[in-house]
Amino acid sequence: MSATALLFRNALVIPMTGTKPFRGAVGIAGNRIALVTADETAVARFRRDHPACRTIDCTGRAVLPGLIDTHCHAAMTLQRSNADDIALMAWLHDHIWPFEAQQTPDDVVLGMTLGIVELLLGGVTSFVDMYFHENRCVEAVEQLGIRAVLGCSYFDSNVDEAFAEAADAVERARGCGRIRVAVAPHAPYTVSRDNLLRGRRLADRLALPYMIHLAETQDEVRYVRERFDRTPVAYLDELGVLDDRTIAAHCVWVGEEDRRVLAQRGVTVSHNPQSNMKIASGTAPVADMLRQGVRVTLATDGPCSNNDLDMWEEMRSAAFLQKVATADPLVLPAAEVLRMATAAGARAMGCDEGELGVLREGALADLIVVDLRKPHLQPMHDAVSNLVYCGKASDVETVVVDGRIVVENRRIAGLDLEALYREVAAAVGRIRRAMR
């Protein structure tokens, strides 16, 4: 449902601007935040200026920026739990890629739809995706109202097709301010030097982001060293493809010099703690990256290497994993983790810092309402710690994207979930039969 103006009152407001949480109100006019205040006089003024605004009582609830998932493969919901507890290369070659070979573009749209529903219900208002047929997925993003960067992924085997899809996606998304398109080579070990450069030139020509899996596994590092006598980061830097429009997913195996390069080039690193743990890729040196000035964000990765799209679990895992890996309970405190999941992700979405992932007057109106009246969220000694260490996707009650309510009382208006589940089951059954 939509409204020309919305007013969330009596909320615990968590701005993510450096201001501490406070009791107050957040007002939205159009697709921008127009009011963030604890001042009742300012609230009264907003209501006078917007006499038709809808007021929502948030007693017992927190209002905070929507979460930003900076790396996922949402359409891979169709492969959730299809192949678990398997080594990465066998997982890809024997299970994932054969399944994908049987998928149609309609299947990908269906998987994307299911993925977006999961993201929205968990309080994710923006996501960065990387997959095939992203031009077709524009329709699912438009329909469900989420904000997205759709990365057209390619290997050497499908580079021309992916470039055509990227150009088509740009045209399909034209006029929708919530959708950006990206060029997305899979990784340095699956895409040749020439095709990495071709993708960079396309991204530059169309002013698109450039995203890639980078330094994810020790096998990748060995492969690149054997062929190019460089680390994966140094190799891409030598090619000139790293800049402030680059999103590098994982970055598990990055040394001090790699981290310096990532910081210097302004690369956005997408940290995927649960996927890295499940596939045994390793533990990314997030604390060291942050100390060296790297922009680190948070993400879920795909729903068959995770196996869900739950950013609340990622926040908790990210914090705990760094503490145990460094033997330092002080690293990656709750406030820093929540910043990684919100404000830090703005640049990945093509926004300026302070324009997205914050509750600030003038920022884009993406926010969530979280019900605090839950046993696991009481008592409230520290609201941010409670949310990061105790919060769950099911605590999200209302979701606003671009000034529109897209989830209310944990329901997405106009969506028949049971029908969606039946479609998904039918598609998966057909694909598995074709793989026999």
Side-chain angles (χ1 to χ4, degrees):
M1 87 184 267
S2 63
T4 55
L6 297 167
L7 177 63
F8 297 86
R9 296 196 64 186
N10 306 318
L12 176 62
V13 179
I14 302 177
M16 299 309 300
T17 58
T19 302
K20 291 183 178 180
F22 62 89
R23 300 284 173 181
V26 177
I28 293 173
N31 74 333
R32 297 279 171 171
I33 296 173
L35 179 74
V36 182
T37 188
D39 181 2
E40 282 300 314
T41 302
V43 172
R45 187 183 311 118
F46 180 86
R47 297 183 74 173
R48 285 197 304 271
D49 292 342
H50 304 88
C53 81
R54 179 184 173 191
T55 299
I56 298 171
D57 183 9
C58 293
T59 301
R61 299 165 178 84
V63 173
L64 62 151
L67 304 180
I68 301 174
D69 184 341
T70 58
H71 178 71
C72 71
H73 314 284
M76 292 182 79
T77 49
L78 296 191
Q79 298 191 67
R80 193 195 314 270
S81 303
N82 173 43
D84 287 329
D85 310 318
I86 299 169
L88 177 60
M89 288 301 122
W91 180 73
L92 289 171
H93 286 279
D94 299 339
H95 300 276
I96 301 304
W97 292 339
F99 188 102
E100 289 176 339
Q102 302 297 329
Q103 289 184 135
T104 67
D106 285 342
D107 294 331
V108 173
V109 174
L110 184 62
M112 173 66 81
T113 300
L114 182 61
I116 292 174
V117 168
E118 183 179 354
L119 288 165
L120 284 173
L121 290 174
V124 174
T125 53
S126 299
F127 76 109
V128 178
D129 202 65
M130 183 179 189
Y131 207 55
F132 314 111
H133 306 303
E134 296 278 29
N135 55 328
R136 287 289 313 281
C137 290
V138 168
E139 60 195 70
V141 174
E142 284 187 321
Q143 176 189 352
L144 291 167
I146 200 168
R147 192 181 302 278
V149 174
L150 300 177
C152 298
S153 186
Y154 67 90
F155 300 77
D156 286 333
S157 59
N158 72 318
V159 59
D160 292 327
E161 179 184 352
F163 287 0
E165 288 178 358
D168 183 48
V170 169
E171 287 303 311
R172 288 174 183 248
R174 197 176 299 280
C176 181
R178 291 181 286 103
I179 303 175
R180 297 194 77 205
V181 178
V183 177
H186 176 261
Y189 65 93
T190 52
V191 180
S192 69
R193 175 186 184 279
D194 287 347
N195 284 331
L196 289 170
L197 289 170
R198 285 181 64 195
R200 179 77 259 182
R201 288 193 293 270
L202 178 64
D204 290 343
R205 180 163 57 84
L206 298 179
L208 305 179
Y210 184 89
M211 69 176 76
I212 188 168
H213 297 101
L214 182 60
E216 181 178 2
T217 66
Q218 288 178 302
D219 285 342
E220 175 191 335
V221 174
R222 279 192 291 267
Y223 177 95
V224 174
R225 276 200 178 279
E226 287 171 2
R227 284 157 180 79
F228 307 107
D229 194 29
R230 301 283 189 278
T231 67
V233 171
Y235 170 55
L236 293 190
D237 190 46
E238 186 178 283
L239 295 182
V241 302
L242 300 180
D243 63 13
D244 61 1
R245 287 190 292 116
T246 303
I247 304 168
H250 299 291
C251 292
V252 174
W253 299 100
V254 288
E256 184 173 355
E257 179 60 19
D258 290 331
R259 299 191 294 265
R260 184 193 66 78
V261 169
L262 292 169
Q264 188 176 55
R265 300 292 180 248
V267 173
T268 295
V269 169
S270 177
H271 177 44
N272 304 252
Q274 291 199 341
S275 173
N276 294 341
M277 287 190 286
K278 186 188 177 209
I279 301 177
S281 298
T283 303
V286 172
D288 289 334
M289 283 193 273
L290 290 170
R291 273 195 290 269
Q292 288 186 243
V294 180
R295 182 186 300 111
V296 185
T297 61
L298 200 61
T300 59
D301 206 356
C304 59
S305 62
N306 183 306
N307 291 14
D308 58 30
L309 299 172
D310 188 335
M311 284 285 285
W312 300 89
E313 289 187 359
E314 298 300 329
M315 286 194 285
R316 178 182 169 100
S317 295
F320 290 1
L321 187 58
Q322 288 302 300
K323 294 175 193 300
V324 72
T326 61
D328 183 356
L330 304 183
V331 301
L332 220 58
E336 181 65 32
V337 176
L338 188 56
R339 190 193 70 82
M340 288 168 56
T342 54
R347 190 67 65 85
M349 300 304 302
C351 297
D352 293 333
E353 293 181 16
E355 186 183 16
L356 188 69
V358 295
L359 301 184
R360 180 185 64 78
E361 293 177 9
L364 287 165
D366 292 10
L367 61 79
I368 59 177
V369 179
V370 176
D371 187 355
L372 303 176
R373 301 163 302 175
K374 301 288 184 73
H376 58 274
L377 291 173
Q378 296 293 326
M380 193 64 65
H381 292 295
D382 185 304
V384 171
S385 288
N386 268 20
L387 289 170
V388 171
Y389 296 145
C390 314
K392 303 181 186 304
S394 57
D395 300 329
V396 177
E397 190 174 83
T398 300
V399 177
V400 176
V401 182
D402 214 36
R404 294 181 59 247
I405 295 177
V406 294
V407 175
E408 187 165 17
N409 296 322
R410 296 203 51 75
R411 300 180 71 87
I412 299 176
L415 184 70
D416 185 340
L417 280 177
E418 291 301 324
L420 176 62
Y421 300 155
R422 287 193 296 271
E423 286 186 74
V424 166
V428 169
R430 174 178 48 75
I431 292 168
R432 292 185 69 85
R433 287 191 296 274
M435 292 172 62
R436 290 173 186 164

